[in-house]
Amino acid sequence: RPFTKATTTGVVSVAGPLTDMARLRMDARLDTAALTLFNYPLNNDGPLQLGLRNNRFELDRVQFAGDKTSLTMSGLVDLGARTANVKATGDANLAVLQAFYPQLTTNGGAKLTASLTGGFDNLAITGRADISDGRLKHFDLGHGLEQINGPIRMEAGRISVDGLHAVMGGGAVDFSGAILLNGYRPEEFALHAEGQSLDLRIPEGLQSTVNAKFDLRGPVTNPTLSGRVDVLKASYAPRIQPETGYLGLLRNAVDTNAALPKPVEEESPAFPMNLDIRVQASHVAVIESKATNTLIEASADVDIRGIVSHPIVTGHVDVDQGVWYFNGNKYILQHGTVDFTNPAQFDPFFDMSAEANVRSVGQNYTVHMRVTGTINHLTTSLDSEPSLPEFQIISLLLGETANL
């Protein structure tokens, strides 16, 4: 039931035989009426006037007000004919949605028109809400929807979002489809969304611009978010200590303080949402810096499954090409892959090979380096032509010339 608490004061007058509803007359004037919709308060805006006449319950003057909310109701309920014709108009604060879905943060407003009509055995609610500058964010998602504008229509058995628009990450998102109802309760999602040029910052360290198509389908209690994401461009900032740059991998310069925690048993989320999303990229520059003459391009085919609060990432990334400079030496990537094979946590496995031509004390060296392992357990192997021990190769790459 939507109203969890109601407190009223006023005067009710009754005339006529209580056993004959057709001849009974009742008039009510409620000077105060405080309603609490979960944690959202509504109060009467002026006296409420209700009446029962000729076996018909009439709403003469019913007005409520709350934070950025006003609601006016009018109409009648014919008890003899067992029919209703009640209308409501007004403005609503979208923050009221948090009362029903506490895992959401919402803001904005909507202009409402709604009608309750038909026989008691087949009452129908129809109406429309025109959203203005709405905002919505799920606690488990890194990005929310902003500048939500457009109509939401309630028709027989469905709530339609055709024509609703929003912005996510600076890009436009268009919605279509509906939420299917069982009576007056949402029962099933059948929603579609398409976004263009969305600037996202997930996962940590990765900034990307994407086009995306999503479908949210299935029962309200356990829906699935499926779709495809095409990466247009990306910028990845790995956790490398700045004093040694990318070659810090040779001396354990990876920032292991940000190591990913091992998975723990979690309570079931209040709003479970299954994931079935495919992410694809083709020859996208993921690390690019003019200051350091660095360019690394990659292609990806990655699946995201699991649930929103615990996504499972699997798939493969090919590093197509890479070049960077360090201490005046040019490094060229020979081979590179990143595999996501650990369903328990986000822990990609790297396999990278690079080559550099280094000159020291009048001698040219071709250095081959390979880095394999997960971000917190990387193994580096080195060899050179002419041959040098690994510790001398490290000194060579870091600009040290002793004992060469």
Side-chain angles (χ1 to χ4, degrees), residues 100-148:
F100 295 94
Y101 303 102
Q103 68 278 10
L104 298 178
T105 57
T106 57
N107 203 348
K111 289 191 174 296
L112 305 174
T113 58
S115 298
L116 175 67
T117 58
F120 286 2
D121 297 326
N122 191 28
L123 287 173
I125 298 179
T126 58
R128 175 179 174 131
D130 288 293
I131 309 298
S132 175
D133 198 24
R135 297 182 181 182
L136 183 149
K137 184 177 182 299
H138 191 285
F139 288 153
D140 289 330
L141 297 177
H143 294 270
L145 295 171
E146 300 181 344
Q147 300 179 38
I148 305 173

Side-chain angles (χ1 to χ4, degrees), residues 72-116:
T72 300
M73 300 176 63
S74 62
L76 61 87
V77 178
D78 193 321
L79 301 179
R82 293 176 53 81
T83 60
N85 185 4
V86 178
K87 296 182 179 180
T89 60
D91 300 296
N93 186 350
L94 295 184
V96 72
L97 292 177
Q98 295 174 220
F100 295 94
Y101 303 102
Q103 68 278 10
L104 298 178
T105 57
T106 57
N107 203 348
K111 289 191 174 296
L112 305 174
T113 58
S115 298
L116 175 67

Side-chain angles (χ1 to χ4, degrees), residues 255-327:
D255 181 9
T256 57
N257 292 327
L260 293 171
K262 294 183 178 180
V264 296
E265 293 295 327
E266 299 179 355
E267 295 182 359
S268 298
F271 181 62
M273 183 189 294
N274 303 303
L275 300 175
D276 185 10
I277 299 171
R278 190 165 203 179
V279 180
Q280 294 186 313
S282 179
H283 303 288
V284 174
V286 293
I287 300 178
E288 185 174 11
S289 171
K290 293 183 179 179
T292 59
N293 291 318
T294 299
L295 174 64
I296 297 178
E297 291 186 352
S299 299
D301 191 353
V302 174
D303 291 316
I304 303 174
R305 292 189 170 90
I307 59 176
V308 167
S309 59
H310 186 64
I312 297 173
V313 180
T314 59
H316 182 81
V317 176
D318 283 309
V319 183
D320 302 312
Q321 65 171 316
V323 59
W324 66 94
Y325 288 81
F326 183 75
N327 275 350

